[in-house]
Amino acid sequence: MVNTPRKFDIEALVASLADIEIITDISQVSKLSQDYHTFSPILTAKLAGKVGDIVIRPANQNEVLKVAAACAKYKIPITSRGSGTGNYGQCVPLYGGIILDTSKMHNICWVKPGVARVEAGVKLAAIDKKAHEIGWEMRMAPSTYRTASIGGFIAGGSGGIGSINYGLMGERGNLIALQIVTLEDEPRIIELRGDEVQKANHAWGINGIITEIEIPLAPAYPWAELIVTFDKFMQAAKFGQALALSDGIIKKEIGVFAKPIPQYFTALRPYIPEDKHAALLIIAEPSLEFLPNLIQEYQGQITYQKSAQEALKGSHLAEYTWNHTTLHARTVDSSITYLQSIFPTDNLQTIEHMYHHFGDEVMIHLEFIRAGGKVANPALQLVRYTSEERLNEIMRYHEEKGVFIANPHSYFIEDGWKRAIAPEHLKFKEMVDPYGLMNPGKSKFLSVAFAEG
Ligand SMILES: Cc1cc2nc3c(=O)[nH]c(=O)nc-3n(C[C@H](O)[C@H](O)[C@H](O)COP(=O)(O)OP(=O)(O)OC[C@H]3O[C@@H](n4cnc5c(N)ncnc54)[C@H](O)[C@@H]3O)c2cc1C
């Protein structure tokens, strides 16, 4: 059975794709039309009821080409989907149409020292596992590494665990090549290499269906995990910065959490007293010897330590960092929402100001990354939500003080990390998607030819 009523000639499209897996069951289609925009009360309201008409699950690039040709022929929008863990409603179809689910495209083409080539639907953890066999690993991964696909991370994510060494995904060199399928009358496969990859990097699936990816790898270390607690928040923040700047200490993650955030980490509560702020760290075992002195300088206390071997079992600290922090907090209190921001680099004054200014209303969660050769502080602050107006006021106040806000309460690409679509990327878009069928409605500056879904 297929959904009704329809704006598009779905029957004709389905008939032309005989051998490809198609899901028409309404509850499954609804489920696969969702992502984690539900962290935002604003997006939850705005995106309610937006669903695709059907889900198509191609098994390989040839099948993607066939789907693309059919969508171009019948002028049906197409929203690519990896695992649906995006936070901005990126893979919620605004105008119905096809959800292109890449989960069957999970082939690891090859892994060599320093580089891997994979299909778009491969889970990040699977790439890591394969790379480890030859002593390498992903340079960075979101805290959703177990569920998220590489295609979704590139098209929708920004960075994560490992960004302390390599910056965000958008940094030159973090992506070697992308193969995309176009939505022209006769769809083509285009390979973007080197700086050209930026045309489809973090483009939310509006600049091509990514089918294959070549990604640089990092040398793998035995990673130990630690929790360090502090009496004062600024001691924790200063410690985080000092560790981030200690180039000789090899690390993969520095997350700093103002109290009461650690109390939302139910499984970690035995290690973090209620009145303490905490840093969650992932450090290479050979560097561990250097930590105690640094921790002492900032009056911290190690309350939890697992060797790399032990860290393979039980809770993984990575799954408390980045936007997993928000997930844990919302599990305890679903009225909590969040911000995504980057504080000005090189000093912690703005962070200290916000800490005192907002108090418990905006609980500070800092991450430390390397960006443009400097240490930078993205933050995913937890917000005690009262109203949309107040939320906007909080974001405006941050912007006035020089904090970059990637607004997680908007589904427009330009409100997020990528502020504008560069003219050359727009030209590329016009070429690969002449009918405006790819994830329509997600850019403020592109017109949409369909009626609201
Ligand atoms: C608990 C939680 C923690 C998170 N932590 C982080 C984090 O640490 N760092 C971070 O950067 N993000 C984080 N995110 C958001 C992040 O975007 C995702 O985790 C991940 O990168 C997306 O992968 P996905 O496969 O789920 O993509 P999806 O959600 O399926 O898709 C994301 C976007 O990419 C597009 N897309 C997917 N596949 C393709 C393709 N093959 N071709 C073209 N476009 C495609 C979709 O249309 C959509 O616009 C988090 C989200 C949650 C819910």
Side-chain angles (χ1 to χ4, degrees):
M1 202 195 96
V2 277
N3 298 354
T4 51
R6 297 202 176 286
K7 299 184 295 244
F8 308 112
D9 197 349
I10 300 288
E11 278 77 11
L13 176 119
V14 169
S16 70
L17 297 172
D19 299 327
I20 302 178
E21 184 183 345
I22 295 181
I23 298 168
T24 56
D25 173 74
I26 292 167
S27 68
Q28 274 221 67
V29 174
S30 300
K31 220 170 112 198
L32 292 168
S33 299
Q34 292 299 309
D35 63 11
Y36 279 79
H37 66 272
T38 44
F39 284 8
S40 160
I42 317 296
L43 287 181
T44 302
K46 281 191 179 149
L47 297 176
K50 305 280 181 207
V51 289
D53 288 280
I54 56 169
V55 176
I56 304 186
R57 222 171 240 164
N60 51 48
Q61 197 172 58
N62 266 344
E63 291 192 357
V64 174
L65 279 167
K66 285 184 194 165
V67 176
C71 284
K73 180 172 177 189
Y74 296 107
K75 310 286 180 288
I76 301 178
I78 189 162
T79 304
S80 297
R81 177 188 170 94
S83 306
T85 64
N87 292 123
Y88 303 89
Q90 293 122 302
C91 61
V92 177
L94 297 180
Y95 297 92
I98 307 306
I99 307 289
L100 187 98
D101 176 334
T102 61
S103 58
K104 269 165 67 178
M105 296 173 59
H106 49 64
N107 184 33
I108 296 181
C109 310
W110 46 257
V111 179
K112 296 185 212 165
V115 58
R117 186 156 179 122
V118 298
E119 284 188 325
V122 181
K123 301 257 190 293
L124 298 165
I127 302 174
D128 242 2
K129 192 166 170 219
K130 189 77 188 163
H132 269 128
E133 290 173 10
I134 58 160
W136 294 79
E137 63 182 22
M138 294 279 298
R139 280 188 174 181
M140 75 192 72
S143 57
T144 46
Y145 56 92
R146 290 207 231 205
T147 43
S149 70
I150 180 77
F153 179 46
I154 284 159
S158 50
I161 299 115
S163 288
I164 182 61
N165 300 313
Y166 298 97
L168 297 174
M169 269 311 295
E171 289 268 339
R172 175 178 262 163
N174 277 336
L175 188 53
I176 296 174
L178 285 179
Q179 204 166 75
I180 62 143
V181 165
T182 69
L183 270 182
E184 297 161 286
D185 290 326
E186 284 184 28
R188 286 178 292 157
I189 296 167
I190 296 178
E191 173 114 347
L192 301 169
R193 298 199 67 90
D195 287 339
E196 293 280 291
V197 295
Q198 300 308 340
K199 290 176 177 170
N201 190 8
H202 199 75
W204 293 19
I206 70 168
N207 269 13
I209 302 165
I210 301 168
T211 47
E212 273 184 26
I213 294 139
E214 224 170 282
I215 188 118
L217 300 171
Y221 282 89
W223 295 111
E225 299 191 347
L226 300 95
I227 298 176
V228 184
T229 62
F230 298 85
D231 288 332
K232 296 207 167 90
F233 173 68
M234 285 313 292
Q235 284 170 336
K238 285 176 186 166
F239 163 75
Q241 193 185 41
L243 177 58
L245 289 167
S246 300
D247 288 337
I249 298 182
I250 298 174
K251 55 260 173 192
K252 196 170 176 181
E253 166 65 24
I254 308 170
V256 166
F257 308 86
K259 72 178 185 195
I261 296 177
Q263 297 311 307
Y264 296 123
F265 303 159
T266 311
L268 303 181
R269 264 159 59 179
Y271 311 100
I272 312 174
E274 241 174 81
D275 57 342
K276 301 280 186 186
H277 311 273
L280 268 52
L281 310 176
I282 302 180
I283 308 285
E285 278 185 350
S287 291
L288 283 177
E289 254 182 274
F290 299 93
L291 267 190
N293 282 351
L294 187 64
I295 291 171
Q296 210 176 19
E297 269 177 48
Y298 295 91
Q299 293 91 49
Q301 199 186 352
I302 298 176
T303 56
Y304 171 104
Q305 182 165 349
K306 272 186 172 181
S307 67
Q309 195 59 34
E310 290 162 342
L312 297 174
K313 290 175 249 131
S315 294
H316 297 263
L317 287 195
E319 286 171 316
Y320 290 85
T321 65
W322 292 83
N323 226 4
H324 262 74
T325 307
T326 317
L327 181 72
H328 288 288
R330 284 178 49 79
T331 305
V332 176
D333 178 353
S334 62
S335 70
I336 287 175
T337 188
Y338 73 122
L339 306 181
Q340 291 201 358
S341 54
I342 301 190
F343 279 94
T345 42
D346 290 338
N347 73 68
L348 300 174
Q349 281 164 13
T350 316
I351 293 168
E352 187 164 15
H353 171 79
M354 296 299 175
Y355 175 69
H356 294 297
H357 183 81
F358 287 109
D360 246 18
E361 187 185 11
V362 181
M363 299 167 265
I364 299 193
H365 159 199
L366 289 179
E367 294 288 341
F368 288 80
I369 64 164
R370 202 159 273 282
K374 292 182 175 174
V375 167
N377 284 117
L380 296 93
Q381 304 91 326
L382 300 182
V383 178
R384 294 191 194 281
Y385 182 72
T386 45
S387 68
E388 182 171 0
E389 198 184 22
R390 177 64 185 152
L391 185 62
N392 288 335
E393 204 174 292
I394 292 170
M395 289 194 280
R396 224 174 16 248
Y397 187 83
H398 278 77
E399 284 177 333
E400 279 164 18
K401 299 282 177 207
V403 181
F404 176 91
I405 294 281
N407 186 354
H409 306 284
S410 165
Y411 58 70
F412 289 122
I413 192 166
E414 296 87 0
D415 289 339
W417 297 106
K418 206 171 193 159
R419 270 295 186 263
I421 304 180
E424 67 270 25
H425 300 172
L426 212 52
K427 253 170 103 182
F428 184 71
K429 159 98 186 150
E430 282 162 11
M431 180 184 81
V432 299
D433 184 21
Y435 303 113
L437 298 172
M438 289 180 186
N439 207 357
K442 300 292 167 60
S443 167
K444 283 179 180 173
F445 303 116
L446 296 170
S447 57
V448 175
F450 313 101
E452 190 80 9

